[in-house]
Amino acid sequence: MTATAVLTARALLLDMDGTLVNSDASVERVWRRWAHRNGLNGDEVMKVVHGRQGYASMALLLPDRPMEQNHADNARMLAEETADTDGVVEVPGARAFLASLKGLPHALVTSADVALSTARMAAAGLELPDVRVTAESVGASKPHPEGFLKGAAELGVDPADCVVFEDSGAGVAAGRAAGMRVVGIGPRAGFHDPDVLVRDLTQVRVEAAADGVIRLHITE
């Protein structure tokens, strides 16, 4: 493999679904059932839901519906998704990538709640980072930058010194709004002009420098 880019950072902020874990099969099953119940086109719904908390996607799809109903539906769907881990696997390279971050500042920043993130990471055979920002930790969903800013604050690192790993348009936008550089993972991210785009995490090598700088070698 040939290095095509090197990014430097002092902390890494990692999305989960589509970035570390391929949960597309479960997401599709749950959201297409919701679309059918609400008389919506499943294909159109799937264009919206990635990267956001469920209630935020529902608010975009059904703008006239009371937000309390969105939150109630979201709670039910989180429980459905937590119970449905069939087909949930690691994104290629995720296990080795996480292992390479041992002892380095990094955090999980996900729109999933604690139960769902725990279930999906376990189903994929991945270890949860020590620092986690989940749905319960924030008041606003991606594309709002709150989650990434909170992750940076918990790690004690300036946002400008963080690199975000994301797969969705909402996630890429959230990272940018937080003043961070973004490594896009997979084809969904490619539509939203991340700073660097990779197919999966096999294309990223982590090098820890003595001065506390993390060097990310992006290969093709």
Side-chain angles (χ1 to χ4, degrees):
M1 293 193 293
T2 310
T4 57
V6 178
L7 298 180
T8 59
R10 291 193 174 274
L12 307 182
L13 302 177
L14 317 173
D15 175 51
M16 181 182 70
D17 292 300
T19 299
L20 298 173
V21 170
N22 182 344
S23 56
D24 282 1
S26 174
V27 172
E28 287 259 350
R29 286 191 292 269
V30 171
W31 275 101
R32 285 184 182 277
R33 285 198 298 269
W34 181 86
H36 180 72
R37 289 195 299 269
N38 288 278
L40 298 175
N41 180 283
D43 291 339
E44 295 304 312
V45 167
M46 295 313 301
K47 293 176 183 177
V48 172
V49 301
H50 293 288
R52 294 181 174 85
Q53 291 193 44
Y55 73 84
S57 295
M58 294 169 194
L60 289 173
L61 291 160
L62 296 172
D64 296 326
R65 194 165 81 151
M67 189 57 78
E68 307 84 70
Q69 190 173 347
N70 294 338
H71 280 288
D73 264 14
N74 186 46
R76 284 190 292 270
M77 290 178 69
L78 283 170
E80 286 183 49
E81 289 181 293
T82 301
D84 181 2
T85 57
D86 187 32
V88 174
V89 295
E90 69 165 317
V91 166
R95 189 176 290 108
F97 176 71
L98 287 171
S100 73
L101 297 182
K102 287 285 188 182
L104 300 177
H106 67 287
L108 187 74
V109 181
T110 176
S111 296
D113 63 5
V114 169
L116 180 56
S117 58
T118 301
R120 283 191 174 156
M121 291 288 280
L126 300 177
E127 188 174 340
L128 280 163
D130 292 335
V131 178
R132 300 184 286 277
V133 179
T134 60
E136 297 93 339
S137 310
V138 297
S141 170
K142 300 172 185 175
H144 194 282
E146 181 186 0
F148 287 126
L149 291 172
K150 187 159 192 173
E154 291 197 20
L155 294 170
V157 176
D158 189 280
D161 291 327
C162 295
V163 168
V164 164
F165 285 73
E166 266 287 358
D167 74 300
S168 70
V172 172
R176 280 223 187 87
M180 301 171 182
R181 290 152 294 151
V182 181
V183 175
I185 309 293
R188 279 194 296 264
F191 293 110
H192 304 282
D193 299 318
D195 294 278
V196 177
L197 179 66
V198 296
R199 179 184 62 256
D200 55 45
L201 291 165
T202 63
Q203 293 176 257
V204 182
R205 181 172 63 84
V206 176
E207 177 193 1
D211 58 0
V213 169
I214 302 169
R215 291 188 176 85
L216 301 170
H217 298 265
I218 312 298
T219 58
E220 62 179 14

